[in-house]
Amino acid sequence: MTPLTGLYVPGNRPDRFDKAVATGADLVILDLEDAVPPADKATARAAVAAWLSSARVDCVLQVRVAAEEDLAALRGLTGFEVRLPKVESSSQVDEVAAALPGLPVTALFESAYGVEHASGIATHPAVTRLGLGESDLASELGTRDDAVLDHARIRLLYAAKSAGLPAPMLSAYPAIKDLAGLRADTERGRALGWYGRVAIHPSQLPVIAEVFRPSHEERRWAEEVLTATADGGVTTLANGDMVDPAMVGRARAILARVRD
């Protein structure tokens, strides 16, 4: 399953783990990095490890790690993926793969250097998804201008697709109450080819899901394309638009999102 909605949960709040799963988010991220104060790191690691050892859920689970101690606490556990922040080299992924062999890794790029080297890192055999840490990247660049962040989004989309990975999910939108802003930014990310978004509050999940849900017009177009191209070659739709086999991939992707 390719997640459409994701939800971060602080690792030091085990009382929220089950509640996060109950929201229906496709992806639940237990955070051992920024969301956890330094004084709570040890108890957060223990809480996350204890919950993972008995969790039985239908959604995708990830743990965002921040230190070697996090990897040590997770050693021997299965049924989750690793979310690795601030990736700038394949050697960082090597360390995770050595400590937690066989676990899929989502590589998060949060610096200009990381974004510029994403294509090589995306080919690492342990990496199954890419992501962008927009807040840290904006701090380094000194701007959150749409054009600047969209450039990074496009670079990561190319890196993911060239490595055979799914389109990345958009990073969390920090203004929890600004649902209109969330919608506008998510729509822009969707237009750039990204799929899905992670959230920091359950109230953001319905907006994200609605933006990425294919419209009636998109579904109808996709169905017409697949029907029209069933025998191969170039043909036209009822409205006169030309279609050919090159459009089949996009049509199938749209209908796959309907099923998701």
Side-chain angles (χ1 to χ4, degrees):
M1 178 185 73
T2 300
L4 172 63
T5 56
L7 182 62
Y8 273 102
V9 189
N12 61 335
R13 293 299 305 268
D15 56 306
R16 296 182 181 178
F17 295 173
D18 289 328
K19 294 178 181 178
V21 172
T23 64
D26 302 318
L27 167 67
V28 170
I29 306 163
L30 308 179
D31 193 6
L32 293 176
E33 195 206 16
D34 291 344
V36 180
D40 293 343
K41 294 288 188 182
T43 55
R45 293 183 194 110
V48 168
W51 188 80
L52 287 174
S53 66
S54 60
R56 299 292 183 270
V57 301
D58 293 328
C59 64
V60 178
L61 294 177
Q62 289 187 353
V63 180
R64 183 164 72 166
V65 297
E68 292 182 5
E69 292 84 355
D70 298 337
L71 301 179
L74 298 171
R75 188 171 287 115
L77 298 175
T78 59
F80 68 99
E81 301 178 359
V82 178
R83 197 170 185 87
L84 183 62
K86 299 177 174 60
V87 178
E88 293 188 332
S89 71
S90 294
S91 62
Q92 292 169 266
V93 185
D94 288 337
E95 294 176 6
V96 173
L100 303 172
L103 294 184
V105 175
T106 292
L108 298 180
F109 300 92
E110 306 183 55
S111 67
Y113 187 92
V115 170
E116 291 298 302
H117 292 79
S119 293
I121 297 167
T123 62
H124 192 288
V127 173
T128 57
R129 312 180 202 273
L130 305 184
L132 186 64
E134 293 186 358
S135 293
D136 284 294
L137 180 62
S139 294
E140 178 184 302
L141 298 176
T143 176
R144 285 196 66 92
D145 187 82
D146 290 346
V148 174
L149 292 181
D150 286 351
H151 173 78
R153 290 173 175 177
I154 292 170
R155 290 296 300 266
L156 255 64
L157 177 66
Y158 272 84
K161 289 298 185 176
S162 66
L165 303 181
M169 298 178 75
L170 293 161
S171 64
Y173 189 77
I176 294 174
K177 295 183 179 181
D178 183 13
L179 297 182
L182 168 66
R183 179 181 297 276
D185 187 70
T186 305
E187 288 175 345
R188 191 172 69 254
R190 183 184 193 267
L192 291 175
W194 285 49
Y195 182 67
R197 183 163 210 157
V198 297
I200 53 177
H201 193 275
S203 64
Q204 298 176 315
L205 297 175
V207 175
I208 296 169
E210 183 178 346
V211 169
F212 284 99
R213 186 177 300 119
S215 67
H216 173 73
E217 291 75 17
E218 288 176 311
R219 295 196 298 270
R220 183 175 61 187
W221 176 87
E223 290 167 353
E224 289 183 0
V225 166
L226 294 184
T227 299
T229 58
D231 296 326
V234 177
T235 185
T236 57
L237 300 181
N239 64 3
D241 288 350
M242 185 201 77
V243 295
D244 61 23
M247 300 179 182
V248 170
R250 180 184 168 214
R252 288 175 175 165
I254 289 173
L255 295 180
R257 293 177 183 180
V258 174
R259 289 190 289 271
D260 288 344

